[in-house]
């Protein structure tokens, strides 16, 4: 039980798991505000407290984690070296591909499903998602602007043969269009 553990032992926080959880919750139909809360906390930690946008770590040290680890349960006598208490600091596993799970969040917000061989793009925005959402396809990127009912290419080429846009929260189509379209930066497809 917790009463038998030394502080700093087995109390790591898997920050990257928050992105997985958020993307999964969005895909399962949870409201955006609730689903994104764990990922927002991790983002705030890196942005506002650590001020490090480039070296993301999978694990954060939990309360009571010391530089000496479980083998050094008390600080050495005399003045403590800076950084002795590592509570809440990044711990290990930096620069790995696991952090790429963060890219699942924009895809989950737009509800994007891309069938590349068929050229079929289906978008089912999450409940409470912003009106402007990212789209990432092989070969290009763009925006879904729900207010203006358009898809805008911003990078590369968007090659779409079939477009389906569904209402947030259900499977009722707002648009079901057949192309083909080849959009380059600045091109807009209205639906």
């Amino acid at each position: 039980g917790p009463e038998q553990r030394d502080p700093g032992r087995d109390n790591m926080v898997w920050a990257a798991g928050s992105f997985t959880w958020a993307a999964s919750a969005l895909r399962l139909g949870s409201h955006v505000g609730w689903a994104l809360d764990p990922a927002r906390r991790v983002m705030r930690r890196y942005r506002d407290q650590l001020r490090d946008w480039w070296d993301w770590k999978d694990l954060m040290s939990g309360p009571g984690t010391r530089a000496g680890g479980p083998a050094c349960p008390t600080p050495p006598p005399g003045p403590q070296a800076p950084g002795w208490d590592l509570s809440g600091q990044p711990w290990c596993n930096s620069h790995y591909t696991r952090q790429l799970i963060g890219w699942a969040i924009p895809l989950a917000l737009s509800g994007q499903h891309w069938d590349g061989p068929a050229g079929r793009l289906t978008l089912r925005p999450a409940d409470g998602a912003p009106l402007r959402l990212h789209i990432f396809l092989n070969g290009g990127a763009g925006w879904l602007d729900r207010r203006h009912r358009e898809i805008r290419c911003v990078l590369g080429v968007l090659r779409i043969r079939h477009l389906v846009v569904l209402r947030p929260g259900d499977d009722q189509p707002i648009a079901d269009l057949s192309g083909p379209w080849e959009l380059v930066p600045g091109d807009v497809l209205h639906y």
Side-chain angles (χ1 to χ4, degrees):
E3 66 282 347
Q4 297 171 338
R5 289 189 197 157
D6 290 329
R9 182 183 168 123
D10 297 331
N11 68 344
M12 296 294 139
V13 177
W14 185 36
S18 299
F19 298 112
T20 305
W21 190 92
S24 296
L26 287 167
R27 288 286 188 176
L28 291 171
S30 299
H31 189 272
V32 169
W34 183 80
L36 290 180
D37 189 54
R40 273 194 199 109
R41 291 174 192 223
V42 172
M43 296 293 290
R44 272 193 223 117
R45 178 96 177 122
Y46 273 91
R47 183 189 65 214
D48 300 340
Q49 294 173 316
L50 300 173
R51 300 186 197 295
D52 185 354
W53 278 96
W54 304 107
D55 188 16
W56 287 77
K57 310 254 189 321
D58 280 349
L59 299 173
M60 304 291 276
S61 57
T65 304
R66 295 182 189 82
C72 260
T74 58
Q80 289 185 13
W84 178 263
D85 182 11
L86 298 176
S87 300
Q89 294 299 309
W91 189 254
C92 65
N93 295 345
S94 67
H95 296 20
Y96 284 133
T97 57
R98 283 190 295 264
Q99 284 80 352
L100 289 174
I101 190 61
W103 286 98
I105 292 174
L107 297 174
L109 281 168
S110 68
Q112 175 179 321
H113 179 77
W114 171 241
D115 179 350
R120 181 183 174 92
L121 176 60
T122 303
L123 300 163
R124 183 179 185 244
D127 180 30
L131 293 175
R132 189 172 169 192
L133 298 164
H134 298 280
I135 298 171
F136 301 103
L137 306 182
N138 56 321
W143 294 103
L144 166 66
D145 186 332
R146 296 187 297 146
R147 177 178 291 138
H148 298 105
R149 294 183 60 145
E150 65 185 27
I151 291 178
R152 178 178 299 273
C153 181
V154 295
L155 178 71
V157 180
L158 299 178
R159 290 182 179 88
I160 304 168
R161 286 190 216 120
H162 194 109
L163 173 67
V164 177
V165 181
L166 303 171
R167 289 193 179 128
D170 66 36
D171 291 327
Q172 296 299 314
I174 295 171
D176 189 342
L177 307 171
S178 292
W181 301 278
E182 191 166 300
L183 307 173
V184 295
D187 286 351
V188 173
L189 169 61
H190 294 277
Y191 63 88

